[in-house]
């Protein structure tokens, strides 16, 4: 008997959440950033990704403590944005299904993971 | 009664598939490309994204007919890579769950969508 | 007799100006942008590139009229940042040599050009 | 007496060289790369940037020894392309003026510099 492989709304919502994370990271990684320019960059990243479909909320923290620690030993006063200076939360709503996702460092890698998937339709 | 919002393996597989699509698009959109350099760029994009976790296969077509049509009326002999010059298929395998995704133009937008989600564990 | 091929300060200043333009364009092209998010993105681009060495001032205009015209016929309410939505002026100061550069559309291409090179040292 | 601030051909050539370097770095920094995918990526970067106007030759070395050293201690088998894994030479010819530029690491930063500026017109 063939299995139905049609994606559910919850699966589509998770796919959309992944797209936003990949977009955010690969659009903005490499951006020159300093403690002084971090706040404006946070807002620009949030507003940019919130333009994308089904994206309810994006919260970006550029970790200025980590930036300052990196720059304390450096000859320059800025560096390139990369995963170890970023914490991100993205909330997706797709056809009544809400997905919450986060990116944080784990073992030296920026790990993107699904926090929760809540399908309003199923109640 | 609280609902369980823990993601399933299939949902996690769809999230991983989305990450790869967002990464691919926002890493390589904007790359200078011509009909002559298209084939090498296709291979580089495929091999680059296949490095990412759980990514079984990436197939990239840079649409050289579309490139040539665009450049026929132009003063330059190259342009920037963007969605209307790209068709992409990505296959993800996450914990025995296989997800197939595609990107194609639809109504003038590069539409990324889930084709199928097949959970081997459920048999 | 061998020719001296050592770069002058004015030439080095022009090289620095080019780096900033290439960086700005290829870092931010592809960013999702709408009329509502344009102003924050302008500030973030300016502050980001001003972090780079020898960069005195960056002025970015995201052309919201052009954005609105593009989106009037579209099914989406955002698009990707590209040259036809951007006007940029960058001022470089390198060892007392001031270079002014601009990017504007010309014949359908984003043309980056040197406006003026002023070497304070030569007076 | 007003000073002439019109750029020379040599200055314009240096500006073009800078554009190529900024483009190359900010287009491709962040690309997922492993020792196995490095050679294809090198070719794609070279061919991509050689599309740009006045660009005679681009030579890219992805430093696989440095990649392998980085990955020896890592849980993943790929990383993101960044300056410390790259050596680049770009040759520009603008109106008979040849500019040679290089990027190498210096004090932990990817330093882009002008090697030589040779104006054929002046002989």
């Amino acid at each position: 008997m063939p299995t139905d492989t049609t994606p559910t709304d919850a699966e589509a919502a998770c796919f959309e959440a992944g797209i936003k994370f990949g977009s955010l990271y690969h659009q903005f990684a490499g951006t020159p950033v300093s403690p002084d320019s971090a706040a404006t960059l946070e807002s620009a990243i949030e507003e940019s990704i919130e333009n994308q479909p089904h994206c309810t909320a994006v919260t970006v923290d550029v970790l200025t403590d980590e930036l300052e620690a990196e720059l304390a030993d450096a000859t320059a006063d800025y560096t390139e944005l990369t995963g170890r200076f970023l914490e991100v939360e993205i909330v997706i709503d797709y056809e009544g299904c809400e997905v919450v996702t986060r990116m944080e460092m784990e073992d030296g890698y920026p790990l993107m993971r699904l926090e929760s998937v809540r399908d309003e339709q199923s109640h």
Side-chain angles (χ1 to χ4, degrees), chain A:
Chain A
M1 206 179 82
T3 315
D4 185 5
T5 62
T6 309
T8 65
D9 282 350
E11 289 163 355
C14 293
F15 181 61
E16 291 294 328
I19 291 173
K20 274 63 178 173
F21 252 118
S23 298
L24 185 156
Y25 195 81
H26 286 271
Q27 182 62 57
F28 293 104
T31 301
V33 65
S34 62
D36 285 351
S37 69
T40 307
L41 183 58
E42 286 171 349
S43 300
I45 297 175
E46 291 171 351
E47 293 183 22
S48 160
I49 301 299
E50 285 173 356
N51 282 317
Q52 294 190 325
H54 316 296
C55 192
T56 307
V58 179
T59 310
V60 174
D61 281 309
V62 175
L63 306 174
T64 47
D65 288 357
E66 299 288 329
L67 277 182
E68 278 161 11
E70 172 102 354
L71 295 171
D73 302 326
T75 56
D77 53 6
Y78 75 103
T79 188
E80 296 170 25
L81 187 65
T82 188
R84 84 182 170 280
F85 304 124
L86 269 180
E87 283 179 11
V88 179
E89 186 181 271
I90 298 178
V91 182
I92 295 293
D93 190 315
Y94 180 90
E95 301 287 328
C97 183
E98 187 192 78
V99 172
V100 178
T101 59
R102 290 188 59 78
M103 185 181 79
E104 288 171 318
M105 291 306 284
E106 198 168 295
D107 296 331
Y109 277 82
L111 188 71
M112 303 175 187
R113 62 190 166 78
L114 284 174
E115 289 273 299
S116 65
V117 180
R118 185 184 306 271
D119 193 343
E120 306 290 324
Q121 303 308 93
S122 61
H123 306 302

mmCIF file of all heavy atoms in Angstrom, chain A residues 39-40 43-44 51 61-62 81 91 120:
data_model
loop_
_atom_site.group_PDB
_atom_site.id
_atom_site.type_symbol
_atom_site.label_atom_id
_atom_site.label_comp_id
_atom_site.label_asym_id
_atom_site.label_seq_id
_atom_site.Cartn_x
_atom_site.Cartn_y
_atom_site.Cartn_z
ATOM 1 N N ALA A 39 23.378 47.439 17.362
ATOM 2 C CA ALA A 39 21.936 47.607 17.614
ATOM 3 C C ALA A 39 21.181 47.896 16.316
ATOM 4 O O ALA A 39 20.093 47.349 16.083
ATOM 5 C CB ALA A 39 21.698 48.729 18.635
ATOM 6 N N THR A 40 21.745 48.744 15.468
ATOM 7 C CA THR A 40 21.079 49.042 14.191
ATOM 8 C C THR A 40 21.029 47.798 13.314
ATOM 9 O O THR A 40 20.033 47.543 12.634
ATOM 10 C CB THR A 40 21.813 50.178 13.455
ATOM 11 O OG1 THR A 40 21.948 51.284 14.333
ATOM 12 C CG2 THR A 40 21.054 50.613 12.209
ATOM 13 N N SER A 43 18.190 45.444 14.356
ATOM 14 C CA SER A 43 16.876 45.881 13.863
ATOM 15 C C SER A 43 16.715 45.617 12.375
ATOM 16 O O SER A 43 15.648 45.194 11.918
ATOM 17 C CB SER A 43 16.683 47.386 14.120
ATOM 18 O OG SER A 43 16.755 47.657 15.498
ATOM 19 N N ALA A 44 17.772 45.868 11.610
ATOM 20 C CA ALA A 44 17.681 45.676 10.161
ATOM 21 C C ALA A 44 17.487 44.198 9.816
ATOM 22 O O ALA A 44 16.714 43.861 8.914
ATOM 23 C CB ALA A 44 18.928 46.225 9.473
ATOM 24 N N ASN A 51 9.863 40.484 6.662
ATOM 25 C CA ASN A 51 9.198 40.666 5.371
ATOM 26 C C ASN A 51 8.790 39.343 4.736
ATOM 27 O O ASN A 51 7.858 39.303 3.929
ATOM 28 C CB ASN A 51 10.132 41.373 4.374
ATOM 29 C CG ASN A 51 10.234 42.872 4.612
ATOM 30 O OD1 ASN A 51 9.233 43.543 4.857
ATOM 31 N ND2 ASN A 51 11.441 43.393 4.519
ATOM 32 N N ASP A 61 19.732 38.982 18.738
ATOM 33 C CA ASP A 61 20.688 39.582 19.672
ATOM 34 C C ASP A 61 22.081 39.444 19.100
ATOM 35 O O ASP A 61 22.553 38.317 18.891
ATOM 36 C CB ASP A 61 20.643 38.879 21.036
ATOM 37 C CG ASP A 61 19.469 39.341 21.865
ATOM 38 O OD1 ASP A 61 19.290 40.560 22.011
ATOM 39 O OD2 ASP A 61 18.718 38.472 22.341
ATOM 40 N N VAL A 62 22.721 40.585 18.820
ATOM 41 C CA VAL A 62 24.150 40.556 18.512
ATOM 42 C C VAL A 62 24.859 40.655 19.861
ATOM 43 O O VAL A 62 24.606 41.581 20.639
ATOM 44 C CB VAL A 62 24.559 41.708 17.573
ATOM 45 C CG1 VAL A 62 26.067 41.720 17.383
ATOM 46 C CG2 VAL A 62 23.859 41.565 16.218
ATOM 47 N N LEU A 81 30.355 39.618 11.215
ATOM 48 C CA LEU A 81 29.281 38.914 11.910
ATOM 49 C C LEU A 81 29.346 37.429 11.580
ATOM 50 O O LEU A 81 29.442 37.032 10.420
ATOM 51 C CB LEU A 81 27.921 39.466 11.465
ATOM 52 C CG LEU A 81 26.716 38.919 12.246
ATOM 53 C CD1 LEU A 81 26.771 39.361 13.702
ATOM 54 C CD2 LEU A 81 25.408 39.371 11.607
ATOM 55 N N VAL A 91 9.639 33.093 14.953
ATOM 56 C CA VAL A 91 8.323 32.479 15.108
ATOM 57 C C VAL A 91 7.606 32.519 13.763
ATOM 58 O O VAL A 91 7.531 33.567 13.115
ATOM 59 C CB VAL A 91 7.478 33.217 16.170
ATOM 60 C CG1 VAL A 91 6.120 32.533 16.342
ATOM 61 C CG2 VAL A 91 8.223 33.277 17.500
ATOM 62 N N GLU A 120 -2.768 24.633 15.827
ATOM 63 C CA GLU A 120 -4.061 25.122 16.371
ATOM 64 C C GLU A 120 -5.237 24.353 15.784
ATOM 65 O O GLU A 120 -6.301 24.252 16.380
ATOM 66 C CB GLU A 120 -4.259 26.619 16.038
ATOM 67 C CG GLU A 120 -3.122 27.510 16.482
ATOM 68 C CD GLU A 120 -3.058 27.651 17.984
ATOM 69 O OE1 GLU A 120 -4.110 27.682 18.626
ATOM 70 O OE2 GLU A 120 -1.920 27.717 18.510
#
